[in-house]
Amino acid sequence: TKPKHPTSPFLGPNTTLQLLSSNIPFITVPLSRTHGKSFAHRSELKHAKRIVVKLGSAVVTRGDECGLALGRLASIVEQVSMLQNQGREMMIVTSGAVAFGKQRLRHEILLSQSVRQALHSGQSQLKDMAIPVLEARACAAAGQSGLMALYEAMFTQYSICAAQILVTNLDFHDEQKRRNLNGTLHELLRMNIVPIINTNDAVVPPPEPNSDLQGVNVISVKDNDSLAARLAVEMKTDLLIVLSDVEGLFDSPPGSDDAKLIDIFYPGDQQSVTFGTKSRVGMGGMEAKVKAALWALQGGTSVVIANGTHPKISGHVITDIVEGKKVGTFFSEVKPAGPTVEQQAEMARAGGRTLAALQPEQRAEIIYRLADLLTDQREEILLANKKDLQEAENKGRLALPLLKRLSLSTSKLNSLAIGLRQIAASSRDSVGRVIRRTRIAKDLDLEQVTVPIGVLLVIFESRPDCLPQVSALAIASGNGLLLKGGKEAAHSNQILHHLTQEALSVHGVRDAVQLVNTREEVEDLCRLDKLIDLIIPRGSSQLVRNIQKAAKGIPVMGHSEGICHVYVDTDASVEKVTRIIRDSKCEYPAACNALETLLIHRDLLRTPLFDQIIDMLRVEQVKIHAGPKFASYLTFSPSEVKSLRTEYGDLECCIEVVDSVQEAIEHIHKYGSSHTDVIITENEKTAEFFLQHVDSACVFWNASTRFSDGYRFGLGAEVGISTSRIHARGPVGIEGLLTTKWLLRGDNHVVSDFSEHGSMKYLHESLPLPQRNAS
């Protein structure tokens, strides 16, 4: 069996491990912080040492209110056990005794009635029997022992001991009883036992009048919400987690129109909230929870109210909260200086709609202004970038390729400005462009026009030059934009965003582009499906995969990997081969469009061309990995590749041998990532066969893989490269950030006129498109 108390990362140098005479080990762990002030941010919750988890009646009981939700309870016990075994001190305030007792008593009454009826009538067949209304105190008395036995059995599975404590309001108002309760709880925590606390509903007196919420030291124990709050403050708890059957606190009753979940609630915000009715079971509604939470917050305990019944999240809701994830409503006394990310998304939505309504020339003017600012404010930008580079070098956390991405220079800024002017020039006929016109019937004309997608979230690592590029594309396409950059580029991103907003101010749409500066985790941003329409990750393949996994109902446009191939055909030109391979692999090996696998026709082995390729790779210090077929041709081969699906992102590549262009295509389809693939040959027929049959976003003939880029394609810039097959593919510029809508113009038309006996007929005539703006 595993030890009850494994070494914990929370144990400090002064930790002592002792054994009582009863041989029960206990751990004395110094608190990770000084109690007295609640946590200001969710990210700090991971430092919580002492935690109270309050389980509402709706969490503990089944939907029929008769019996316990065993699956949810088991999951909660598992999460509490996990945190307890990390070295935290966990306490549970639980409901459920009444529901469990009601189940038991109903069963006993039914059994008793059936026996009496059978004896009386001599018949075994039961008739309908009325169940009397069961008094709550009696149910609590009958259910408490069973509830505790259930907890005991569940915690035993994790080698954790639990202890029961029943309290009433008098236990807090009587000073002697309060000290006794405090001492008992501290002793249990000292022995690494999980206290399970409940109101003693079998004998609970009515709450005392006029003593509710009158300062830090007075709160009536009316229900388990107030009990949990009183207990949390009494025990100097770091965190109180209140689980109920709603996601958290809404600004109006959940289920009502326009009800919005409040991410962070501050004291004094009560007037902005309209409370609804209580839950289907239990004593306290949301208003009682908020009052108890604010009382606990005043006493120095952080509070989160969250949903403990949702089947998809209840299995990790407690651990998610402790990890600082955006779950439920977090109560904080510290208001942030700026807007929340939800408010920023709404500002981006409103700003984007205003942006889309501008004239094309006005949007272009904004982008031209931004391009000018990049060169005019060059010194300030480079100074901010220098701070980022110095901090990154001092911390030593960034690899050389990432430092290169982080670095800005005069030439980079000049190239950026040129790219932005290209975007401005090509943006004049993007939004509102008619792409289809159809005459449905006489005086009934239909148009399909381009419109912005909505609000884009672009997450990028290291590269601050991404910010003006993406901003310009969003402006040109009329989209609102949320930007989340890496911490390593904070100073650079800040000034570039400031310049972007300065350019937007030319036409009063400053809010259309927002930079997320709060402590939002990427995973939390990916949950904002009601505020964000498309996520575009710019960074490593690992970043893209993480975002695709975390996105909750929001499409993600990107490529998971950049496994790019170059196939050298038998008819390849000697002069072209080494130049194209060198550029594809060595010009910028960390890029997603760099060569990763080199496919060579079998007939080229042991030829001067093959020797030139190998010599060039050695001179460039490229580490070679041999594919299985290539290795079989060699007596002494380089290390055989572990996987043919590897994106090295460095001066490494795989070499594999194929027997034909068809086999090269099959290899690319099996092991590639549909990013960019190249053929080097002088045979036009072979080249065209390759171009038509390789199913990748970019397929080239006699050109480096590194041309797979928005700027090099003449798009001005790109928001990313997409390997998906829906909507946009390859380098994504303005066109990839647009969708369409249909405009129908009629004159008193109704569908019934087109029925079999109606007066009108469908024409469905294609109409000519309006002339595009030549400028």
Side-chain angles (χ1 to χ4, degrees):
T1 60
K2 68 176 184 177
K4 284 191 176 184
H5 310 292
T7 302
S8 166
F10 294 89
L11 302 187
N14 299 322
T15 299
T16 57
L17 178 65
Q18 302 178 11
L19 294 177
L20 296 177
S21 56
S22 60
N23 291 324
I24 301 175
F26 70 93
I27 301 175
T28 304
V29 186
L31 287 176
S32 57
R33 70 188 188 102
T34 303
H35 187 83
K37 194 170 183 180
S38 60
F39 294 118
H41 305 283
R42 282 184 186 270
S43 58
E44 298 171 350
L45 294 180
K46 60 180 175 287
H47 301 302
K49 174 68 174 60
R50 186 172 290 173
I51 302 171
V52 171
V53 178
K54 185 266 175 178
L55 308 178
S57 301
V59 176
V60 176
T61 62
R62 298 199 310 248
D64 60 5
E65 302 174 26
C66 187
L68 302 179
L70 296 179
R72 283 201 296 266
L73 267 183
S75 176
I76 287 165
V77 167
E78 180 180 20
Q79 294 173 77
V80 170
S81 300
M82 184 187 305
L83 295 171
Q84 180 82 2
N85 283 329
Q86 287 177 358
R88 304 179 198 265
E89 297 173 341
M90 305 298 296
M91 292 179 276
I92 294 177
V93 175
T94 184
S95 303
V98 174
F100 199 15
K102 187 184 292 186
Q103 182 187 37
R104 293 183 63 184
L105 291 181
R106 279 186 173 182
H107 179 76
E108 291 298 325
I109 291 169
L110 278 172
L111 184 62
S112 174
Q113 287 183 348
S114 65
V115 170
R116 284 200 303 272
Q117 186 177 30
L119 291 173
H120 179 73
S121 63
Q123 299 176 359
S124 59
Q125 186 175 3
L126 300 179
K127 297 178 182 178
D128 292 337
M129 295 176 290
I131 302 295
V133 176
L134 299 174
E135 205 272 330
R137 289 190 176 91
C139 291
Q144 190 64 50
S145 60
L147 177 65
M148 192 60 208
L150 186 62
Y151 273 119
E152 187 70 37
M154 287 181 173
F155 273 111
T156 299
Q157 302 303 310
Y158 302 95
S159 301
I160 290 176
C161 181
Q164 179 184 24
I165 297 179
L166 297 177
V167 298
T168 67
N169 205 18
L170 298 175
D171 295 316
F172 288 99
H173 286 281
D174 183 286
E175 184 63 24
Q176 184 59 47
K177 289 183 177 180
R178 189 182 66 80
R179 284 201 300 267
N180 291 343
L181 174 61
N182 188 298
T184 300
L185 288 169
H186 274 95
E187 186 66 16
L188 291 172
L189 294 177
R190 195 171 67 90
M191 293 189 294
N192 207 36
I193 294 172
V194 176
I196 299 177
I197 305 104
N198 195 0
T199 50
N200 191 351
D201 292 325
V203 298
V204 64
E208 293 187 9
N210 303 321
S211 63
D212 192 34
L213 303 170
Q214 295 179 354
V216 174
N217 294 318
V218 181
I219 182 172
S220 297
V221 179
K222 296 179 178 179
D223 48 52
N224 276 343
D225 294 317
S226 50
L227 168 60
R230 180 67 194 252
L231 185 74
V233 174
E234 182 73 26
M235 293 297 294
K236 294 182 171 59
T237 302
D238 300 318
L239 173 61
L240 167 60
I241 298 174
V242 179
L243 297 182
S244 67
D245 58 351
V246 292
E247 276 70 25
L249 179 61
F250 289 77
D251 58 359
S252 54
S256 62
D257 292 340
D258 300 324
K260 292 181 181 177
L261 179 66
I262 298 173
D263 172 42
I264 306 177
F265 190 79
Y266 307 98
D269 284 356
Q270 295 94 309
Q271 67 275 8
S272 64
V273 177
T274 303
F275 294 103
T277 58
K278 296 193 305 177
S279 67
R280 58 178 173 81
V281 288
M283 296 288 293
M286 184 55 73
E287 187 170 9
K289 289 176 174 57
V290 172
K291 285 183 176 180
L294 290 172
W295 190 88
L297 189 68
Q298 184 185 1
T301 296
S302 295
V303 184
V304 175
I305 297 178
N307 191 336
T309 64
H310 195 292
K312 290 186 178 180
I313 62 172
S314 59
H316 46 80
V317 60
I318 298 173
T319 49
D320 278 357
I321 289 169
V322 175
E323 287 173 12
K325 293 182 180 177
K326 206 167 192 175
V327 178
T329 300
F330 172 62
F331 286 71
S332 174
E333 291 187 300
V334 181
K335 274 202 172 187
T340 65
V341 69
E342 289 84 0
Q343 291 170 331
Q344 284 187 292
E346 289 172 353
M347 291 160 68
R349 172 86 66 193
R353 285 172 176 161
T354 305
L355 185 65
L358 295 176
Q359 294 299 312
E361 293 77 13
Q362 293 174 307
R363 288 192 295 271
E365 188 180 346
I366 293 171
I367 302 170
Y368 280 125
R369 176 63 180 147
L370 178 56
D372 292 340
L373 287 170
L374 290 179
T375 52
D376 294 346
Q377 305 294 324
R378 180 187 303 113
E379 297 304 321
E380 289 83 351
I381 297 170
L382 294 179
L383 186 62
N385 184 245
K386 186 178 180 181
K387 289 181 183 177
D388 288 326
L389 289 168
Q390 287 174 342
E391 290 180 9
E393 289 171 358
N394 292 339
K395 292 176 181 176
R397 294 177 182 174
L398 289 185
L400 193 59
L402 290 178
L403 277 173
K404 188 177 178 182
R405 290 186 186 184
L406 177 59
S407 174
L408 292 176
S409 63
T410 299
S411 60
K412 266 191 180 182
L413 293 176
N414 289 336
S415 296
L416 268 176
I418 293 170
L420 263 57
R421 292 187 178 99
Q422 287 181 350
I423 294 172
S426 62
S427 71
R428 299 183 187 277
D429 196 20
S430 54
V431 180
R433 176 166 52 89
V434 180
I435 60 175
R436 184 196 303 257
R437 291 181 70 214
T438 305
R439 177 150 292 158
I440 303 295
K442 186 176 182 298
D443 296 327
L444 185 63
D445 291 348
L446 178 68
E447 285 184 346
Q448 186 182 17
V449 300
T450 57
V451 293
I453 289 173
V455 175
L456 314 175
L457 167 62
V458 177
I459 301 167
F460 56 101
E461 295 177 322
S462 298
R463 292 179 53 178
D465 53 331
C466 175
L467 194 152
Q469 287 179 335
V470 171
S471 297
L473 289 169
I475 293 165
S477 56
N479 285 287
L481 178 62
L482 275 179
L483 292 158
K484 174 67 172 175
K487 295 176 183 176
E488 66 281 355
H491 298 293
S492 305
N493 290 337
Q494 198 69 46
I495 188 167
L496 290 170
H497 177 247
H498 173 74
L499 296 177
T500 302
Q501 290 199 312
E502 184 177 332
L504 287 162
S505 299
V506 170
H507 288 292
V509 285
R510 180 184 179 87
D511 291 342
V513 176
Q514 298 284 328
L515 179 64
V516 179
N517 286 319
T518 57
R519 299 190 182 194
E520 302 295 330
E521 297 295 332
V522 168
E523 189 173 335
D524 293 329
L525 293 172
C526 292
R527 291 192 175 104
L528 302 178
D529 57 307
K530 292 181 175 62
L531 299 170
I532 295 167
D533 300 299
L534 179 67
I535 301 175
I536 304 172
R538 293 282 305 265
S540 66
S541 58
Q542 187 60 50
L543 172 75
V544 179
R545 281 194 296 268
N546 290 344
I547 290 172
Q548 288 172 331
K549 184 178 178 181
K552 306 296 182 184
I554 310 175
V556 177
M557 184 164 67
H559 59 90
S560 57
E561 291 173 306
I563 304 174
C564 303
H565 296 76
V566 171
Y567 165 58
V568 183
D569 186 52
T570 50
D571 297 320
S573 162
V574 175
E575 291 76 19
K576 295 174 184 176
V577 168
T578 52
R579 273 174 50 83
I580 292 173
I581 293 175
R582 179 188 289 108
D583 191 77
S584 297
K585 178 72 258 184
C586 308
E587 198 267 340
Y588 190 6
C592 64
N593 57 11
L595 161 67
E596 304 295 1
T597 298
L598 179 62
L599 300 176
I600 297 179
H601 195 286
R602 181 184 58 181
D603 293 348
L604 295 176
L605 290 177
R606 301 184 178 90
T607 65
L609 174 58
F610 177 77
D611 292 338
Q612 284 183 21
I613 294 172
I614 298 299
D615 289 342
M616 181 273 295
L617 292 174
R618 283 175 178 161
V619 169
E620 297 290 341
Q621 298 183 329
V622 177
K623 183 177 180 181
I624 297 173
H625 301 275
K629 285 186 70 175
F630 181 44
S632 68
Y633 284 100
L634 304 173
T635 307
F636 298 100
S637 68
S639 60
E640 187 168 338
V641 70
K642 293 180 180 178
S643 171
L644 291 167
R645 291 192 179 93
T646 301
E647 181 181 13
Y648 298 100
D650 205 345
L651 285 173
E652 295 181 63
C653 76
C654 169
I655 295 180
E656 183 58 309
V657 173
V658 292
D659 292 340
S660 64
V661 65
Q662 181 62 49
E663 189 177 329
I665 293 170
E666 290 171 359
H667 179 104
I668 290 168
H669 288 165
K670 185 174 182 179
Y671 299 110
S673 60
S674 301
H675 192 295
T676 302
D677 298 292
V678 171
I679 182 172
I680 306 177
T681 184
E682 296 303 299
N683 188 316
E684 184 176 351
K685 184 178 179 181
T686 303
E688 288 300 328
F689 184 83
F690 185 90
L691 293 174
Q692 297 303 319
H693 287 82
V694 171
D695 185 17
S696 296
C698 300
V699 189
F700 301 162
W701 173 22
N702 287 349
S704 167
T705 59
R706 296 279 290 120
F707 280 104
S708 181
D709 175 84
Y711 176 76
R712 294 170 189 137
F713 275 17
L715 304 178
E718 65 184 41
V719 291
I721 294 180
S722 171
T723 55
S724 66
R725 287 167 171 77
I726 297 176
H727 183 60
R729 200 173 185 202
V732 179
I734 298 172
E735 295 292 324
L737 300 181
L738 297 170
T739 183
T740 63
K741 70 177 180 182
W742 297 90
L743 305 177
L744 184 63
R745 296 179 176 90
D747 183 15
N748 198 31
H749 288 80
V750 292
V751 169
S752 57
D753 287 343
F754 295 84
S755 63
E756 185 178 351
H757 302 291
S759 59
M760 299 196 72
K761 301 294 182 184
Y762 288 111
L763 299 176
H764 293 147
E765 295 177 358
S766 293
L767 298 176
L769 298 179
Q771 291 296 312
R772 297 186 64 174
N773 188 345
S775 63

